[in-house]
Amino acid sequence: MQQTRLSSSHNKLVPSNSKDYDAYVTEWTTHFQNCQDDFELERGLNHVFAQDWAPQVELVGEALKASRRLDSFATAVRILEGVEQKVHKKEQYDQYLNVLSPILTELGIVDKHTLGDFQVVRQKVWWADA
């Protein structure tokens, strides 16, 4: 059985080249608008977050919409966490949240800080007492 490789022009575009940047953003925006499963969503996120800079706000918005369309709240929260890790200053992350606030409100997405801290609850097991 021969494997089918997903072919696209994603690998041909070099986002550091200013001529390719708009095409790069457009192609990944289209990808997120059309992805039909979690694999394609996460493949796109891996490509976008592998770059040396924080992704464009519109691109993040489309990724968030795709994650909620695919009913993956956890992925949506992780997208915001990825943006937070990519930006250099907290003020930049706050700017992302301000611009994305209508989408976040509409889709019911919150960042991990809003969710609060969780205490890990471990069930006591008999072999741990020994």
Side-chain angles (χ1 to χ4, degrees):
M1 176 183 209
Q2 184 179 6
Q3 283 187 322
T4 311
R5 183 180 168 105
L6 297 172
S7 62
S8 79
S9 61
H10 298 311
N11 297 330
K12 297 176 186 127
L13 295 174
V14 181
S16 59
N17 180 346
S18 61
K19 293 178 183 177
D20 284 349
Y21 183 75
D22 290 335
Y24 179 85
V25 171
T26 301
E27 185 160 349
W28 282 109
T29 300
T30 304
H31 173 84
F32 289 127
Q33 289 171 344
N34 298 323
C35 66
Q36 298 297 317
D37 58 24
D38 289 337
F39 175 81
E40 286 300 319
L41 172 63
E42 292 184 17
R43 183 176 74 90
L45 291 171
N46 285 336
H47 279 280
V48 169
F49 281 104
Q51 302 304 322
D52 291 336
W53 57 81
Q56 190 176 23
V57 176
E58 291 80 10
L59 196 56
V60 173
E62 289 302 326
L64 291 169
K65 290 176 187 176
S67 68
R68 293 304 282 152
R69 185 178 68 246
L70 296 171
D71 200 24
S72 182
F73 178 79
T75 302
V77 174
R78 293 287 293 161
I79 291 168
L80 293 176
E81 191 175 358
V83 170
E84 184 178 22
Q85 293 295 318
K86 280 291 188 178
V87 297
H88 297 287
K89 299 177 183 174
K90 182 172 177 11
E91 295 80 29
Q92 292 172 317
Y93 179 64
D94 292 338
Q95 289 173 349
Y96 268 89
L97 292 179
N98 287 337
V99 173
L100 292 169
S101 65
I103 293 172
L104 297 175
T105 303
E106 175 188 345
L107 300 175
I109 301 170
V110 295
D111 70 333
K112 70 176 188 171
H113 304 293
T114 306
L115 291 173
D117 293 328
F118 295 95
Q119 297 295 323
V120 177
V121 178
R122 297 186 188 262
Q123 181 180 5
K124 191 167 186 160
V125 291
W126 62 268
W127 61 84
D129 292 334

